[in-house]
């Protein structure tokens, strides 16, 4: 079993560290945030991720997962070092790689044996070369032996443990036979395809994959806008496209646009990188632009129903950027609330997991915003209710009760997850995305004779 250290216990680092410990490797988790280390030492994860707490406790109980804020000690005791620090965008959208550089310098100072340095963070192509150069320039140990590998992560929040343990593929950007041998041994028991490439290609695979998925989402959102104009149904369009194996149905879910810590940042960074290289990245910038204005699709619907949003009470259900996470980074729900506050609306909001994070993020808004304890309190006396996150529990709400509690019965379903027919029967003015506008038309469009039928023979 290998001795690993994972530097940076954010999302990717925590999942990587706890999963490798689960696979019986000895793992040291390193983070300079001492408070985080203290909490983790008590078994408390820094964020919500299904299954993570159990893995942390398992690793701590069997002694395979230890924690420290001392990076020097951790590197000295490890053969493989995973770099999982943040690569946030700077003001031009380019990745700020200062944390990766800092870790490279720490590694350079502690080359007491052969080290395999694994890039896990999402980085622009060419970063591994920079890591190597930094180590070469700053290491006091001339001639120290080390290799750099790029092993990008493809973890989805909410499903990260499963994605780690049963990935679609493993990508390894490798430049030495020793590195190849160590990495193949590390992933020996994984059953998926393993693609071995040069390092720069592996770096590019990560950026290109995320940019492509983001492009699918912006594309379907653009088609959803067209659907609304011609009274077509986006779900059926996506189904019809998705049956084509060259296209696939996944990531053709129209809605409020993508959020989270990856897509918005990665598409900007990829476009910025292309720009620096003199490659025309208009396509990528357009993907980002379409996404940035998704929020207006919701605002337009609110104005269509309420006419004026100023002084209206809007209930917003869903603050996390998607279900099964408490992450609010680049969350459409948060963006909507800011916009509504700007327009003079009062907002009551609720999220099953992300309320605490949202309170911190939106503390500057003050009075026009209140955080409810449950969805029913959020909708009391509301003029409209907007669903911004696809939490499954939202589909199981008692809409009859909600109808009674609201001042005017307007629902905007930003995730196309509710049953239009049922809601219109209850008297709601129901708007969804790309399935034609409210005012009764929706109910006609969505009667069963319009539902997609697939003939088996
Ligand atoms: C993503 C990538 O999937 C993962 O491989 C990468 O390593 C990290 O970034 P994540 O950000 O956790 O993962 O979420 P994901 O499930 O991919 O969804 C991203 C965003 O797209 C969410 O806001 C989601 O709501 C939105 N989305 C997704 C859509 O709007 N429509 C879809 O059809 C799918």
């Amino acid at each position: 079993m290998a001795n690993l250290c994972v530097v940076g216990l954010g999302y990717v680092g925590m999942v990587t560290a706890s999963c490798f410990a689960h696979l019986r490797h000895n793992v040291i988790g390193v983070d300079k945030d001492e408070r985080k280390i203290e909490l983790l030492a008590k078994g408390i994860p820094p964020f919500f991720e299904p299954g993570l707490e159990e893995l942390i406790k398992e690793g701590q109980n069997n002694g395979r997962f230890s924690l420290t804020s001392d990076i020097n000690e951790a590197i000295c005791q490890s053969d493989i070092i995973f770099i999982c620090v943040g690569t946030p965008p700077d003001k031009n959208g380019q990745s700020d790689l200062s944390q990766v550089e800092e870790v490279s310098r720490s590694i350079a100072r502690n080359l007491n044996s052969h080290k395999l340095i694994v890039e896990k963070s999402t980085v622009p192509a060419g970063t591994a070369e920079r890591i190597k150069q930094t180590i070469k320039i700053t290491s006091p140990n001339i001639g120290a032996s080390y290799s750099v590998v790029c092993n990008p992560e493809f973890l989805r929040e909410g499903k990260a443990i499963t994605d780690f343990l049963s990935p679609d593929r493993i990508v390894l950007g490798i430049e030495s036979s020793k590195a190849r041998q160590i990495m193949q041994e590390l992933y020996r028991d994984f059953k998926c395809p393993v693609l071995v490439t040069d390092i720069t290609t592996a770096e590019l695979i990560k950026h290109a994959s995320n940019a492509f998925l983001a492009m699918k989402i912006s594309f379907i959102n653009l088609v959803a806008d067209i659907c609304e104009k011609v009274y077509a149904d986006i779900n059926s369009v996506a189904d019809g496209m998705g049956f084509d194996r060259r296209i696939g149905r996944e990531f053709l879910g129209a809605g409020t646009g993508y959020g989270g810590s990856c897509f918005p940042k990665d598409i900007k960074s990829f476009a910025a990188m292309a720009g620096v290289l003199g490659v025309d990245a208009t396509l990528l910038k357009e993907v980002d632009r379409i996404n940035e204005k998704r929020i207006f699709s919701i605002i337009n619907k609110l104005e269509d129903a309420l006419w004026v949003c100023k002084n209206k009470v809007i209930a917003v259900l869903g603050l996390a950027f998607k279900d099964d996470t408490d992450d609010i980074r680049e969350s459409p729900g948060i963006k909507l609330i800011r916009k509504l506050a700007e327009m003079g609306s009062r907002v009551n909001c609720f999220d099953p997991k992300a309320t605490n994070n949202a309170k911190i993020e939106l503390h500057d808004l003050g009075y026009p915003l209140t955080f409810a304890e449950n969805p029913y309190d959020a909708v009391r006396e509301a003029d409209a209710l907007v669903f911004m996150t696809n939490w499954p529990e939202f589909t199981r709400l008692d809409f009859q009760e909600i109808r009674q509690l609201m001042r005017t019965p307007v629902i905007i379903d930003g995730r196309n997850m509710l049953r239009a027919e049922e809601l219109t029967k209850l008297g709601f003015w129901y708007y969804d995305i790309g399935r034609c506008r409210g005012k009764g038309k929706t109910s006609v469009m969505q009667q069963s004779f319009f539902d997609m039928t697939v003939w088996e023979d």
Side-chain angles (χ1 to χ4, degrees):
M1 292 295 116
N3 293 318
L4 321 174
C5 83
V6 174
V7 185
L9 296 178
Y11 203 82
V12 174
M14 272 315 301
V15 173
T16 303
S18 54
C19 284
F20 274 127
H22 176 67
L23 296 172
R24 299 171 179 276
H25 298 289
N26 300 313
V27 182
I28 307 174
V30 193
D31 201 291
K32 56 186 175 186
D33 180 345
E34 289 182 7
R35 173 90 187 116
K36 188 188 275 183
I37 295 292
E38 266 170 41
L39 287 174
L40 278 168
K42 292 182 194 150
I44 304 169
F47 49 81
F48 168 73
E49 174 66 28
L52 182 64
E53 193 169 346
E54 291 78 358
L55 285 195
I56 295 171
K57 288 195 173 131
E58 176 194 275
Q60 285 174 338
N61 290 341
N62 62 28
R64 290 204 183 93
F65 184 20
S66 58
L67 295 150
T68 181
S69 53
D70 182 347
I71 188 166
N72 299 318
E73 175 198 308
I75 292 169
C76 284
Q77 290 176 21
S78 305
D79 305 317
I80 308 176
I81 301 148
F82 281 88
I83 303 181
C84 298
V85 292
T87 54
D90 67 14
K91 59 181 184 332
N92 302 317
Q94 281 175 290
S95 298
D96 172 356
L97 297 172
S98 52
Q99 294 183 58
V100 177
E101 193 242 21
E102 201 183 316
V103 176
S104 308
R105 283 171 181 263
S106 300
I107 295 170
R109 282 196 306 272
N110 294 286
L111 289 172
N112 60 339
S113 59
H114 179 272
K115 305 288 177 196
L116 186 74
I117 302 153
V118 187
E119 236 180 39
K120 264 265 176 229
S121 305
T122 304
V123 289
T127 302
E129 285 305 318
R130 285 297 198 168
I131 294 175
K132 282 193 278 182
Q133 186 182 315
T134 303
I135 294 176
K136 217 177 275 172
I137 292 175
T138 59
S139 178
N141 186 356
I142 301 162
S145 145
Y146 63 91
S147 341
V148 178
V149 166
C150 173
N151 172 211
E153 55 81 22
F154 301 99
L155 310 173
R156 288 164 301 173
E157 295 191 20
K159 298 187 175 68
I161 308 284
T162 321
D163 283 349
F164 187 97
L165 297 172
S166 314
D168 287 350
R169 81 302 208 182
I170 290 166
V171 174
L172 298 175
I174 279 178
E175 60 178 6
S176 76
S177 53
K178 182 161 185 166
R180 185 182 181 126
Q181 192 193 336
I182 298 170
M183 290 308 283
Q184 281 183 337
E185 181 59 24
L186 195 63
Y187 285 115
R188 193 184 51 192
D189 295 330
F190 285 69
K191 301 278 178 272
C192 63
V194 178
L195 178 68
V196 180
T197 71
D198 62 89
I199 299 184
T200 310
T201 302
E203 289 172 334
L204 210 58
I205 288 171
K206 172 64 201 261
H207 254 158
S209 300
N210 274 4
F212 190 82
L213 291 171
M215 182 180 73
K216 273 185 102 171
I217 298 170
S218 280
F219 180 87
I220 205 69
N221 283 331
L222 169 73
V223 179
D225 286 349
I226 296 172
C227 283
E228 289 185 359
K229 301 286 181 204
V230 299
Y231 302 118
D233 182 280
I234 191 62
N235 283 5
S236 299
V237 172
D239 287 339
M241 290 169 64
F243 277 119
D244 185 329
R245 275 173 295 180
R246 293 170 302 174
I247 298 173
R249 180 63 172 83
E250 283 190 62
F251 281 72
L252 290 181
T256 52
Y258 56 77
S261 63
C262 290
F263 288 175
K265 158 177 93 74
D266 290 353
I267 199 107
K268 287 186 178 75
S269 157
F270 202 32
M273 186 183 87
V276 169
L277 296 170
V279 176
D280 181 355
T282 309
L283 172 66
L284 302 176
K285 288 182 191 155
E286 200 50 27
V287 168
D288 184 42
R289 198 186 65 82
I290 291 171
N291 196 60
E292 289 289 335
K293 64 185 183 81
R294 273 324 277 165
I295 218 68
F296 293 100
S297 156
I298 305 290
I299 299 285
N300 290 345
K301 288 174 171 61
L302 280 171
E303 287 182 335
D304 191 74
L306 302 178
W307 189 5
V308 173
C309 289
K310 192 174 172 185
N311 294 328
K312 297 285 174 12
V313 178
I314 315 291
V316 175
L317 295 193
L319 304 168
F321 80 95
K322 62 172 193 178
D323 66 317
D324 254 346
T325 178
D326 62 358
D327 195 341
I328 53 157
R329 285 175 286 179
E330 299 284 338
S331 161
I334 301 287
K335 287 184 191 166
L336 177 70
I337 290 172
R338 286 206 175 277
K339 185 73 206 157
L340 288 170
E342 213 179 286
M343 292 165 69
S345 308
R346 283 165 46 209
V347 179
N348 297 336
C349 62
F350 170 79
D351 188 280
K353 287 270 186 276
T355 301
N356 285 344
N357 286 338
K359 277 183 183 166
I360 297 167
E361 172 66 27
L362 296 169
H363 72 278
D364 56 304
L365 285 188
Y367 163 70
L369 175 65
T370 54
F371 291 88
E373 295 285 314
N374 61 61
Y376 300 100
D377 284 349
V379 302
R380 213 175 287 279
E381 290 300 307
D383 296 289
L385 161 59
V386 189
F387 287 90
M388 293 299 285
T389 310
N390 52 332
W391 284 104
E393 48 262 65
F394 289 161
T395 63
R396 297 188 290 268
L397 291 171
D398 180 344
F399 284 96
Q400 204 146 14
E401 186 179 346
I402 287 178
R403 172 76 180 82
Q404 302 302 321
L405 290 168
M406 290 182 72
R407 188 155 53 194
T408 46
V410 174
I411 288 185
I412 319 279
D413 176 4
R415 296 290 189 150
N416 284 356
M417 61 181 180
L418 304 175
R419 280 198 283 274
E421 208 178 331
E422 193 180 305
L423 294 175
T424 39
K425 259 191 207 146
L426 284 173
F428 283 102
W429 282 37
Y430 174 76
Y431 293 74
D432 42 17
I433 304 287
R435 307 189 75 188
C436 107
R437 286 174 160 254
K439 296 183 180 170
K441 287 169 195 153
T442 314
S443 61
V444 177
M445 286 298 289
Q446 289 169 350
Q447 277 168 10
S448 56
F449 58 84
F450 273 114
D451 284 352
M452 187 191 65
T453 308
V454 183
W455 284 302
E456 295 296 342
D457 47 20

